[in-house]
Amino acid sequence: MRILRSAGHRQMPWKNGKGVTTEIAVFPEGAPVDGFDWRISMAKVPESGPFSAFPGVDRVLAVLDGEMVLTVDGQLPETLGPSSRAIAFPGDIPTHAVVLHAVTDLNVMVRRGKFSARVKRCDDPIVAGKGSHTFLVLRSAAKLATGEKLGANDVLHLTNAETVTFADVPSGAWLVEIDGLSA
């Protein structure tokens, strides 16, 4: 298990230049915004506008704070907030957000045909690594059963079959599982 402390997350501009994202993890490590196989980030979305296009990339998005109406080309608009499920969509089709209340989102992107991703809320004190890479994004302070303290926006990275136990169920945590696809 690795702990990715929030202070170590990398800040970088959005691809479209209209905001800043906080990169949590990327593969290969250090890959540029147009050269990753998978990437996990959080972004503050203060105003409405189009999403950056990512050709050949699939996205999964969860709203951590705030509320927005997401319109993915060819689909009905969907209102998303902290209690909504994560939504998956292709990163290379027109997508637009109408921000109702300033949003912080969790954005997972994977190279289509090479990786898949699942994102869901985590409300269990025991988390097992099930994907090739399992990440637990914490939204509040938490304590492991071992006594180790974690802060808001810290992230746990588990490999397959690793397990972590919390003293209490982490509040507002999100589980991200990334798997490689067979050729």
Side-chain angles (χ1 to χ4, degrees), residues 58-62 86-89 106-110 117-119:
D58 289 325
R59 296 175 82 152
V60 184
L61 182 120
I87 185 168
F89 57 97
L106 174 63
N107 188 37
V108 179
M109 296 188 281
V110 296
R118 292 172 304 286
V119 178

Side-chain angles (χ1 to χ4, degrees), residues 30-102:
V33 73
D34 58 353
F36 60 80
D37 283 340
W38 56 258
R39 180 176 182 239
I40 302 169
S41 63
M42 288 189 297
K44 292 196 179 298
V45 185
E47 59 187 46
S48 302
F51 276 42
S52 300
F54 283 90
V57 169
D58 289 325
R59 296 175 82 152
V60 184
L61 182 120
V63 171
L64 305 174
D65 299 308
E67 187 177 36
M68 71 174 159
V69 177
L70 187 70
T71 303
V72 179
D73 191 44
Q75 298 178 21
L76 293 174
E78 189 164 346
T79 301
L80 300 173
S83 62
S84 302
R85 65 177 176 80
I87 185 168
F89 57 97
D92 45 10
I93 64 173
T95 303
H96 187 273
V98 174
V99 176
L100 305 175
H101 304 284

Side-chain angles (χ1 to χ4, degrees), residues 92-180:
D92 45 10
I93 64 173
T95 303
H96 187 273
V98 174
V99 176
L100 305 175
H101 304 284
V103 166
T104 301
D105 68 25
L106 174 63
N107 188 37
V108 179
M109 296 188 281
V110 296
R111 188 73 49 202
R112 187 174 301 132
K114 289 182 87 172
F115 290 89
S116 66
R118 292 172 304 286
V119 178
K120 65 181 181 179
R121 221 173 263 92
C122 181
D123 54 7
D124 196 325
I126 300 172
V127 178
K130 293 182 183 169
S132 300
H133 297 276
T134 299
F135 295 86
L136 186 65
V137 180
L138 300 170
R139 293 298 293 153
S140 61
K143 187 165 85 172
L144 298 177
T146 61
E148 177 130 29
K149 293 180 181 178
L150 303 165
N153 298 326
D154 283 352
V155 176
L156 296 180
H157 179 198
L158 306 171
T159 57
N160 195 8
E162 279 186 306
T163 300
V164 64
T165 302
F166 286 88
D168 294 304
V169 176
S171 176
W174 286 84
L175 187 67
V176 176
E177 295 172 328
I178 298 174
D179 281 309

